[in-house]
Amino acid sequence: MQRRTSPVAVSAHNWGWRHAGRKKPAVAGADFEIRPGERVLLLGASGAGKSTLLHALAGVLGEDTGGTETGSLTLDGVHPQAARGRAGLLLQDPDTQIVLSRVGDEVAFGAENLGIAREEIWERVQAALDDVGLAVPLNHSTAALSGGQKQRLALASILAMQPGLLLLDEPTANLDPDGVLEIRDAVARVLDRTAATLIVVEHRVAAWADLVERVIVLDAGGGILADGPPQEVLSGAGTRSRLAEAGVWLPGAGPGGAGTSFTRAAAARDPFPPAPAGQSAGAELLVARSLDVARNSKGQAVLEGVDLSLQAGTALGITGPNGAGKSTLALTLGGLLRPRGGELAAAPELARGAGSSPCKWKSAQLVTRIGTVFQEPEHQFLTGSVHDELAFGPRRAGHSEAEVEAVVGRLAERLRLQSLQQVNPFTLSGGEKRRLSVATMLATAPDILLLDEPTFGQDANTWRELVSLLTEQRDAHGCTVVSVTHDSEFTAALGGRTLRVAGGRVEELLPVHGRTPGGAA
């Protein structure tokens, strides 16, 4: 007989949490009651503590983990650590959640730990994979999945557990538009079947506004900024302007909605070096001819026959469905993967004596020529503090300490990392990690900047600042900005061209109409 779980009631009374080593609490003064079976969208600015709250509800935070808890937080009247198994948490970074090497085993893992009967487990596994639209064999390698596919896999693993409280942290952030709707609909089907309580964190609210019945907005300064039905919170005259000021993405308002602003205080002094001498605007920097790319040198090509030229001072957006090879193409263009076939050649203006093949360059040569921002920010962190992470590249490039500190100060202020400079990068929120990973590459002022999902986890304010910085690098310094992204507003804001890939081939290379950052979306 199939086991059914009852929906969970959640209660917070003046609850707060301060991470070990931090002076400021991640969450403070949270007060709310969530009824069993209620569906809640949790919003707030980047760094407001949304992920911290979900982790606490999942029972992975407590006094024994080194932090400091205030107030009370309970599931069905007991502390979340005493109710483990009642909540299922989808983490912001799926790579940190996947533990087994085969897809079927990964989805079955949680249900096995709950003691579900073997025959029922595999029924749940197949149903969960169908729900999230991950059509791969059960013995498929989890390491061979794309970032978006890993996100689907992680969600399937949670759904197979059938928890009474479903906690989703940015479940659609790295998915293509069709995938966003598939995941939302999958969650809706599971909720209809199980009546579980839902708390979902998303910066882009439009896809979830019709599924939830309540919106809670955390105030970055502590407490609750808004709480009520979606229509009342997101459209009410009394709250809309306050939410926009906090950077909440509001339905019907683009990233340039009311309340957003640029941080310009540090922009007056420009610590970035000028573009390399002799490089004219529009100079050809990197050329791909009949390029085939694969995740490893002996593996099957995931994308074939790419013909592409990157010019200085231009922007290119790479789009397409999950698993189409977008990230693999970016890593190959960045010299981090060897081409499977064809040719990838750097022009003399880019190579500057390093040779024409980027995959043969040393890291010290790459750092000022081609900078790559990985889809998973943690994969590129090298030091123990935000300050040292920002300083690492400029120091490696040979800049003086005065120049290094100027770069660090400017980027930290522009991307709202100033108060976090002594914090370990791995303890940042997802949005903060993403901004730091972009900033570390901007710090070396490369000729070409390759970004994989650069706007993941950003509120409207930090999104605008990120676009502003990248636009300045493109226009004032001749940087070529290449972005792997599902964010159509981002590609439109940067302008340039869009390369769409699908089915192992380049489908189209089209111009897009750029507009001033913050324009109507």
Side-chain angles (χ1 to χ4, degrees):
M1 178 180 296
Q2 192 175 51
R3 181 186 304 187
R4 295 296 180 186
T5 57
S6 57
V8 171
V10 179
S11 178
H13 294 291
N14 198 31
W15 183 81
W17 179 265
R18 181 174 59 83
H19 294 290
R22 298 281 190 97
K23 296 181 179 179
K24 181 181 177 182
V27 183
D31 273 293
F32 56 81
E33 303 278 346
I34 297 176
R35 302 185 307 275
E38 198 168 11
R39 304 175 181 185
V40 176
L41 177 61
L42 182 64
L43 301 178
S46 176
K50 303 181 296 298
S51 296
T52 298
L53 176 56
L54 292 194
H55 289 148
L57 290 169
V60 297
L61 293 184
E63 297 289 349
D64 59 334
T65 66
T68 302
E69 187 174 28
T70 56
S72 68
L73 184 69
T74 62
L75 305 185
D76 290 335
V78 301
H79 192 278
Q81 285 192 314
R84 287 174 176 165
R86 294 287 285 133
L89 170 64
L90 175 66
L91 297 173
Q92 209 168 46
D93 178 8
D95 260 338
T96 62
Q97 191 158 349
I98 296 173
V99 296
L100 297 177
S101 61
R102 296 186 298 185
V103 165
D105 294 340
E106 179 64 30
V107 180
F109 183 70
E112 287 176 337
N113 284 333
L114 293 176
I116 307 301
R118 179 181 178 85
E119 59 275 11
E120 183 180 336
I121 287 176
W122 293 104
E123 290 179 6
R124 290 190 184 193
V125 166
Q126 197 56 63
L129 288 171
D130 290 343
D131 273 338
V132 301
L134 185 57
V136 298
L138 294 180
N139 63 355
H140 189 82
S141 169
T142 56
L145 297 175
S146 71
Q149 289 172 323
K150 288 178 181 177
Q151 205 160 16
R152 294 171 188 257
L153 174 63
L155 178 57
S157 303
I158 300 301
L159 297 182
M161 295 169 61
Q162 296 184 358
L165 173 60
L166 190 57
L167 304 168
L168 307 180
D169 197 351
E170 302 269 8
T172 65
N174 292 329
L175 298 182
D176 56 69
D178 289 339
V180 171
L181 299 180
E182 287 179 7
I183 294 302
R184 181 204 61 190
D185 293 345
V187 171
R189 289 193 296 271
V190 169
L191 294 177
D192 288 342
R193 285 202 304 266
T194 66
T197 307
L198 170 70
I199 303 178
V200 56
V201 170
E202 280 279 10
H203 279 289
R204 305 297 185 106
V205 305
W208 297 89
D210 292 337
L211 177 64
V212 301
E213 53 199 308
R214 181 177 174 189
V215 175
I216 297 176
V217 186
L218 293 183
D219 192 330
I224 303 298
L225 185 62
D227 184 358
Q231 184 67 22
E232 177 183 312
V233 171
L234 300 175
S235 302
T239 59
R240 192 172 176 85
S241 61
R242 285 188 294 143
L243 298 186
E245 185 67 31
V248 173
W249 290 92
L250 296 169
T260 54
S261 61
F262 294 118
T263 305
R264 300 295 191 188
R269 299 188 310 275
D270 187 355
F272 289 111
Q279 178 180 307
S280 59
E284 190 173 71
L285 300 180
L286 191 64
V287 178
R289 297 185 181 92
S290 301
L291 182 68
D292 300 339
V293 303
R295 294 187 177 93
N296 60 72
S297 59
K298 297 181 180 179
Q300 182 178 359
V302 296
L303 193 59
E304 298 178 323
V306 178
D307 292 307
L308 181 64
S309 172
L310 298 180
Q311 290 86 30
T314 62
L316 174 70
I318 302 177
T319 67
N322 292 118
K326 304 183 299 298
S327 297
T328 305
L329 174 59
L331 291 171
T332 305
L333 294 174
L336 301 177
L337 291 177
R338 291 184 180 276
R340 188 68 177 83
E343 180 185 3
L344 180 67
E349 290 88 350
L350 177 65
R352 299 195 291 281
S356 63
S357 179
C359 67
K360 296 180 180 179
W361 294 350
K362 297 178 180 179
S363 59
Q365 295 171 318
L366 269 175
V367 71
T368 57
R369 292 167 173 82
I370 306 177
T372 300
V373 176
F374 300 146
Q375 191 174 71
E376 297 84 9
E378 293 90 343
H379 289 184
Q380 67 191 78
F381 293 156
L382 300 169
T383 72
S385 73
V386 168
H387 176 278
D388 289 348
E389 202 67 40
L390 291 171
F392 184 86
R395 284 173 178 159
R396 188 73 182 271
H399 296 308
S400 69
E401 278 303 302
E403 291 171 329
V404 169
E405 291 303 320
V407 170
V408 170
R410 177 183 185 234
L411 289 173
E413 183 168 352
R414 290 288 296 276
L415 292 177
R416 307 189 183 202
L417 299 170
Q418 197 168 31
S419 64
L420 302 170
Q421 290 196 51
Q422 302 310 314
V423 170
N424 189 303
F426 293 93
T427 66
L428 298 175
S429 73
E432 290 164 346
K433 288 177 183 176
R434 169 50 75 216
R435 296 200 300 281
L436 177 59
S437 66
V438 173
T440 58
M441 291 297 103
L442 282 171
T444 63
D447 300 278
I448 297 174
L449 183 61
L450 298 164
L451 307 134
D452 200 339
E453 299 292 353
T455 59
F456 165 71
Q458 301 311 305
D459 61 42
N461 290 339
T462 56
W463 184 97
R464 281 171 52 90
E465 200 62 59
L466 197 58
V467 170
S468 175
L469 268 172
L470 294 173
T471 300
E472 289 172 17
Q473 283 299 99
R474 181 199 64 196
D475 295 344
H477 305 283
C479 180
T480 303
V481 181
V482 180
S483 309
V484 173
T485 182
H486 298 297
D487 187 345
S488 59
E489 292 170 336
F490 179 75
T491 54
L494 285 182
R497 299 174 296 165
T498 298
L499 177 74
R500 177 175 170 78
V501 298
R505 310 290 297 183
V506 174
E507 278 194 348
E508 53 190 350
L509 183 58
L510 298 174
V512 296
H513 299 292
R515 56 174 175 258
T516 302

